[in-house]
Amino acid sequence: MSPHPQVRNPAPHHARRTFEPSAGAAEHFPLGPTLPVARARVCSHVGEMLDPAAFIIANTKLLSPPLLPEIRLYLADESVAVWQKTEDALGLVDSAPPYWAFAWAGGQALARYLLDTPALVAGQRVLDLGSGSGLSAIAAAKAGAVFVRANDIDPLSLAATTLNAAANGVMVATSAHDLISPRSITAESTQRRSDERPFGVILVGDLFYERQLAENVLAYIETAVANGATVLIGDPQRNYFPKGRFITAAEYSVPVTRELEDAEFKLTSVWRL
């Protein structure tokens, strides 16, 4: 059964801030820059942070996401507070939200699905695209993947992924290369890179929340499937989810917080392309 279309947008209850643009608006945060620009600002300033790992440990707690009691992650227990602390540490205003500090509904569903059906990734090379906290990458490693790479353009995300992988006793490689920009896709095939073997499985969790990002992700994964990869997507049908393009593999009612998702449970599916 397909999940119901999303009618509410994840947003912390704060006058200035929202974690996801509204469906009818342009891709702008209220009183802030466009999402790609905001994320670029974070990336360019992380090098000025003396110790990203120490910052993450100091401002989060080791917690288990509701759907995954067997995994622990460094997570924030309040969205606006960690966002403000990140900006203060980087000397920024109107930066991109710290997506790495939360276990989003799509990532939880996807990780649960991998742990419950480990044959999908056992012995495979796996790429977690836009990995955030690294939750799906960690689940793939625990499920028996032979190699896992977490990819995210936010260096804080990669620092969090490294910490989270260590906390769960698994190995996850990281990469900050922008794999999904049109320039990257045009320059070389998604799956035929000369420097490494192709990925057999690509994971996508909660990436359809911004128009250009969604279009780039879709182009990337369609190329990957054409080259023989399996693509698994965890998403509660966010604003720019391409309805009618994927096949439902599993469905979960994911416990979430009202601060992030304006709901207590989010009906979320795992999809295949």
Side-chain angles (χ1 to χ4, degrees), residues 14-128:
H14 188 282
R16 292 181 60 249
R17 305 195 161 215
T18 176
F19 271 76
E20 180 178 319
S22 62
E27 291 76 60
H28 293 74
F29 293 106
L31 305 182
T34 61
L35 180 58
V37 171
R39 285 177 66 86
R41 288 181 184 175
V42 172
C43 296
S44 65
H45 283 72
V46 168
E48 301 171 11
M49 183 181 288
L50 293 179
D51 190 342
F55 172 83
I56 292 167
I57 292 171
N59 292 285
T60 59
K61 299 176 182 178
L62 263 179
L63 303 170
S64 292
L67 216 59
L68 297 138
E70 59 268 78
I71 289 179
R72 297 203 302 164
L73 305 173
Y74 286 94
L75 300 174
D77 53 11
E78 186 180 350
S79 63
V80 174
V82 72
W83 193 350
Q84 185 63 58
K85 289 177 181 179
T86 302
E87 289 188 337
D88 292 345
L90 298 176
L92 293 174
V93 176
D94 291 325
S95 69
Y99 293 111
W100 53 267
F102 306 96
W104 297 89
Q108 287 196 56
L110 184 54
R112 181 74 269 158
Y113 185 64
L114 294 176
L115 292 178
D116 291 345
T117 54
L120 290 171
V121 293
Q124 295 280 352
R125 289 172 53 84
V126 176
L127 173 68
D128 183 12

Side-chain angles (χ1 to χ4, degrees), residues 18 65 77 95 101 135 141 160 181 215-217 273:
T18 176
D77 53 11
S95 69
L135 173 56
S181 70
E215 291 175 357
N216 291 349
V217 168
L273 177 58

Side-chain angles (χ1 to χ4, degrees), residues 3-255:
H4 302 296
Q6 181 176 337
V7 295
R8 294 180 181 267
N9 302 312
H13 295 173
H14 188 282
R16 292 181 60 249
R17 305 195 161 215
T18 176
F19 271 76
E20 180 178 319
S22 62
E27 291 76 60
H28 293 74
F29 293 106
L31 305 182
T34 61
L35 180 58
V37 171
R39 285 177 66 86
R41 288 181 184 175
V42 172
C43 296
S44 65
H45 283 72
V46 168
E48 301 171 11
M49 183 181 288
L50 293 179
D51 190 342
F55 172 83
I56 292 167
I57 292 171
N59 292 285
T60 59
K61 299 176 182 178
L62 263 179
L63 303 170
S64 292
L67 216 59
L68 297 138
E70 59 268 78
I71 289 179
R72 297 203 302 164
L73 305 173
Y74 286 94
L75 300 174
D77 53 11
E78 186 180 350
S79 63
V80 174
V82 72
W83 193 350
Q84 185 63 58
K85 289 177 181 179
T86 302
E87 289 188 337
D88 292 345
L90 298 176
L92 293 174
V93 176
D94 291 325
S95 69
Y99 293 111
W100 53 267
F102 306 96
W104 297 89
Q108 287 196 56
L110 184 54
R112 181 74 269 158
Y113 185 64
L114 294 176
L115 292 178
D116 291 345
T117 54
L120 290 171
V121 293
Q124 295 280 352
R125 289 172 53 84
V126 176
L127 173 68
D128 183 12
L129 190 64
S131 56
S133 67
L135 173 56
S136 297
I138 290 165
K142 290 176 72 71
V146 69
F147 176 82
V148 182
R149 174 170 293 158
N151 172 259
D152 200 294
I153 63 171
D154 183 352
L156 276 172
S157 167
L158 302 184
T161 294
T162 298
L163 287 171
N164 290 333
N168 289 277
V170 297
M171 295 291 294
V172 173
T174 61
S175 169
H177 182 59
D178 185 358
L179 296 177
I180 65 171
S181 70
R183 181 185 307 174
S184 297
I185 294 173
T186 301
E188 56 184 328
S189 168
T190 306
Q191 286 287 293
R192 303 300 179 191
R193 307 176 71 87
S194 60
D195 58 340
E196 65 179 2
R197 292 166 48 205
F199 291 100
V201 179
I202 296 177
L203 309 176
V204 177
D206 293 291
L207 289 186
F208 292 102
Y209 58 86
E210 187 266 338
R211 187 189 304 276
Q212 188 60 59
L213 175 63
E215 291 175 357
N216 291 349
V217 168
L218 186 60
Y220 182 90
I221 62 178
E222 285 179 339
T223 301
V225 168
N227 286 315
T230 296
V231 172
L232 298 172
I233 301 152
D235 203 280
Q237 298 196 65
R238 298 196 183 277
N239 289 342
Y240 298 98
F241 182 82
K243 295 179 175 62
R245 300 293 291 272
F246 307 136
I247 299 170
T248 307
E251 187 175 80
Y252 301 89
S253 180
V254 184

